[in-house]
Amino acid sequence: ARVLVLTGDEKAFCAGADLKSVTEATTNEKLAKEWLAPRPHGPLGFTRLTSPKPTIAAISGYALAGGLELALWCDLRVGTETAKLGFPERRWGVPLIDGGTQRLPRIVGMGRGLDLILSGRIVEADEALAMGLLTEVVAPGKHVERSLEMAKGLAAFPQKTMLSDRRAALEGFGLPLDEALKLEAELGAESTATGVEGAGRFAAGEGRGGEGAGV
């Protein structure tokens, strides 16, 4: 599979950990060892790693706490009009430990990111779209359909160049501009043959008038 789509059900994408169960089943020592200790993977098992392929979160209803962190792990987020996103664990003093403090500001900017991180408020679909937290908003029940449509579009592109550009964006973010540009140039050079082939197809008439320009 060239693209990964993650989803939940109509009620919730993911509402995070069951805090009651965590309290009942976990001692402080076990929590510190298994959840909070620095390690290469997060509580969900993979969220401190980077996916090797494009990822899309198809969100209906709640994406809260660790569920929002999981959605932030994805490259794109398609939400229904019922989507609600936030970090309500702020009110109980539960820390963000699955990438939320790092990925959210990268996606929406530091100001908006700190707003959600500090306040714990929950935003609805229209505000989430306006701040860039959601990529697209669709009618209820259409989130998976639209995400799969986007996935098919991404899967149809020449993969070497798309994955190279994705890597340049992810790895270059936060680097000084000169280093980021060097990384972009190095990764781009590896896709030269693909680019030349694509330019030849365009010269032959493929894609004229914007055909196939987006997903």
Side-chain angles (χ1 to χ4, degrees):
R2 291 180 170 183
V3 182
L4 173 66
V5 175
L6 297 179
T7 193
D9 59 22
E10 292 299 319
K11 182 178 180 180
F13 171 75
C14 177
D18 183 340
L19 298 184
K20 183 177 180 181
S21 296
V22 170
T23 301
E24 293 174 348
T26 310
T27 64
N28 287 338
E29 181 180 354
K30 183 178 180 183
L31 180 66
K33 181 179 180 180
E34 296 185 2
W35 280 50
L36 302 180
R39 57 184 182 174
H41 52 85
L44 288 175
F46 57 86
T47 41
R48 290 180 190 158
L49 304 175
T50 299
S51 172
K53 65 185 73 176
T55 56
I56 304 172
I59 302 169
S60 177
Y62 294 103
L64 304 177
L68 176 53
E69 290 182 293
L70 176 59
L72 294 170
W73 178 81
C74 296
D75 298 316
L76 307 173
R77 285 157 294 283
V78 176
T80 67
E81 296 164 357
T82 67
K84 300 180 187 299
L85 306 92
F87 293 125
E89 69 269 44
R90 171 59 57 233
R91 68 194 72 172
W92 297 289
V94 177
L96 307 182
I97 56 173
D98 223 5
T101 64
Q102 300 306 303
R103 292 192 177 103
L104 182 60
R106 284 169 165 78
I107 292 168
V108 303
M110 184 61 74
R112 290 189 175 98
L114 284 174
D115 172 21
L116 299 188
I117 291 169
L118 298 177
S119 70
R121 70 185 185 91
I122 296 173
V123 298
E124 299 194 7
D126 56 348
E127 184 178 0
L129 178 65
M131 69 170 60
L133 181 52
L134 287 179
T135 307
E136 190 171 318
V137 174
V138 297
K142 297 295 185 180
H143 55 302
V144 174
E145 177 183 334
R146 176 55 180 149
S147 295
L148 291 175
E149 180 183 357
M150 293 170 71
K152 290 177 181 178
L154 295 177
F157 289 141
Q159 293 296 294
K160 184 176 180 63
T161 304
M162 185 184 70
L163 293 177
S164 174
D165 289 345
R166 176 178 181 266
R167 180 182 168 191
L170 292 174
E171 295 184 10
F173 193 94
L175 290 177
L177 181 59
D178 59 339
E179 294 182 25
L181 291 173
K182 180 181 178 182
L183 173 65
E184 178 189 73
E186 291 173 349
L187 292 175
E190 297 174 6
S191 301
T192 300
T194 303
V196 170
E197 179 185 347
R201 294 201 307 273
F202 177 80
E206 180 180 324
R208 295 293 175 87
E211 180 184 354
V215 296

